[in-house]
Amino acid sequence: MQQSYTIRELAKEFGITARTMRHYEQIGLLAPGRRGQSRIYSAADRTRLRLILRGKRLGLGLEESRAIIAMYDPDHGNEQQLLRLVERIREQRAALRERLRDLQAMLAELDAVEAGCLASLAQPRAVPASTSIARRRANR
Amino acid sequence: MQQSYTIRELAKEFGITARTMRHYEQIGLLAPGRRGQSRIYSAADRTRLRLILRGKRLGLGLEESRAIIAMYDPDHGNEQQLLRLVERIREQRAALRERLRDLQAMLAELDAVEAGCLASLAQPRAVPASTSIARRRANR
DNA sequence: TTGCTCCTCACGTCACGTGAGGTGGC
DNA sequence: TTGCTCCTCACGTCACGTGAGGTGGC
């Protein structure tokens, strides 16, 4: 089947710019083929891009994503390296779990802020300044 | 009561650097008082900082946070602005839910990668490249 | 030829990081 | 005096954005 993509196709699919993809190539995160001067991306390139963007959504830097993607690669030879890999995976997982808790807390906060807004809208004059969202939440 | 804070106290409380707080002041997001040359932060300053940082966690830029904080202010809180705020909250919440799924997927993958590593360690020759996660996930 | 997408520099931007060098009060 | 935190420049960094100017094929 040999599925391949242009830079514009992948950029559109993932909602990023072509410049972003060229940037990832410049720092060695992607390595698409060429047809003349134009880049052609394989299904494997597309997968790597997807992993990079997921890392970004999670707030990882590009170098952190590079490290995590490297973990997915099984050609990581010897026993010592594998053991170090397992250790790094455990560290990453602990950090990600913390983010998970942050996220869940934030979703709950947004629910509360929205409810406050809707209450304000329902009774515009019943909400004096001293009970504004900023003030009500000021004491933690 | 007149509660006040030093730059270091607030930085430590929120897990940011003093430089970050000076930066927010430079662009007019914070306006602490002074005692001599040192900055002194009021409870209101602390609240603003908390709102800025929450915006950051939600992926907003500083100018976006500035706009939203202005909306929290009851003096600017007309009905149209509140409705826009509710809309933005709903958008952000959808994005956060996506992140939540990302995180859970990544945690699950790391579990699988770790299991693969441990299996490799137990039986070094039993894990061919064709079963790597990157390859298995290549088709979506 | 027009219109489209592709390309390579290369400077700009946003949100800080990171010293360098100095002040002030317990 | 030592040690601490505070300060102000000011250049560096990361992840791109944004033109400028040019190529290639339907």
Side-chain angles (χ1 to χ4, degrees):
Chain A
M1 45 188 303
Q2 268 295 62
Q3 178 68 297
S4 74
Y5 313 86
T6 69
I7 194 169
R8 207 55 68 165
E9 282 168 359
L10 283 188
K12 189 170 184 180
E13 175 178 356
F14 290 111
I16 59 179
T17 68
R19 167 69 172 118
T20 296
M21 296 180 62
R22 294 192 194 105
H23 178 64
Y24 293 161
E25 181 176 349
Q26 238 177 2
I27 64 175
L29 268 179
L30 288 177
R34 295 272 173 158
R35 178 157 43 213
Q37 64 175 6
S38 296
R39 292 163 175 83
I40 45 174
Y41 295 84
S42 68
D45 291 327
R46 181 172 166 283
T47 297
R48 278 185 76 85
L49 178 57
R50 209 163 41 76
L51 293 174
I52 295 165
L53 295 177
R54 185 161 71 193
K56 269 198 55 182
R57 287 197 299 275
L58 295 176
L60 304 182
L62 295 183
E63 292 311 315
E64 291 179 282
S65 283
R66 190 202 299 278
I68 288 185
I69 290 173
M71 290 182 195
Y72 290 167
D73 186 350
D75 304 340
H76 260 65
N78 68 47
E79 189 161 330
Q80 270 222 353
Q81 283 174 325
L82 279 178
L83 283 171
R84 261 178 38 207
L85 206 63
V86 168
E87 201 178 324
R88 293 209 50 183
I89 287 171
R90 285 177 177 164
E91 288 167 12
Q92 285 288 348
R93 199 163 39 191
L96 291 181
R97 287 219 171 97
E98 213 177 306
R99 278 179 216 248
L100 192 71
R101 281 193 295 278
D102 274 355
L103 255 175
Q104 283 161 341
M106 247 178 286
L107 283 169
E109 271 187 39
L110 283 187
D111 285 341
V113 173
E114 185 187 15
C117 287
L118 294 177
S120 267
L121 286 170
Q123 297 196 331
R125 299 241 135 258
V127 184
S130 61
T131 61
S132 76
I133 289 173
R135 298 245 185 141
R136 263 188 288 129
R137 303 187 61 86
N139 50 348
R140 200 127 178 75
Chain B
M1 41 189 301
Q2 269 294 62
Q3 180 68 299
S4 74
Y5 312 87
T6 69
I7 194 169
R8 207 55 67 165
E9 282 167 359
L10 284 189
K12 189 171 184 181
E13 175 178 355
F14 290 111
I16 59 180
T17 68
R19 167 67 172 119
T20 296
M21 296 180 62
R22 294 191 193 106
H23 178 64
Y24 294 160
E25 182 176 349
Q26 239 177 1
I27 64 175
L29 269 179
L30 288 177
R34 296 272 173 157
R35 179 156 42 215
Q37 63 174 6
S38 297
R39 292 165 175 83
I40 45 173
Y41 294 85
S42 68
D45 291 326
R46 181 174 166 280
T47 297
R48 278 185 75 85
L49 178 58
R50 209 162 42 74
L51 292 175
I52 295 166
L53 296 176
R54 182 162 73 192
K56 270 197 54 181
R57 290 197 303 273
L58 297 176
L60 305 182
L62 295 182
E63 291 313 313
E64 292 180 284
S65 282
R66 189 201 301 277
I68 287 185
I69 289 172
M71 291 185 207
Y72 285 169
D73 187 341
D75 298 344
H76 296 71
N78 69 42
E79 191 162 327
Q80 271 221 354
Q81 284 172 323
L82 278 178
L83 283 171
R84 262 177 40 208
L85 182 57
V86 167
E87 200 179 322
R88 294 214 53 180
I89 285 172
R90 285 177 177 164
E91 288 167 13
Q92 287 293 340
R93 199 162 39 193
L96 289 182
R97 290 220 169 97
E98 205 183 312
R99 266 192 235 183
L100 197 68
R101 281 194 295 277
D102 284 344
L103 248 177
Q104 284 160 343
M106 194 171 271
L107 283 170
E109 280 189 21
L110 285 185
D111 284 342
V113 173
E114 184 185 14
C117 286
L118 295 177
S120 259
L121 285 169
Q123 295 196 335
R125 301 237 136 263
V127 184
S130 61
T131 62
S132 80
I133 286 177
R135 298 246 185 142
R136 265 187 288 133
R137 301 187 59 87
N139 48 352
R140 224 299 182 254

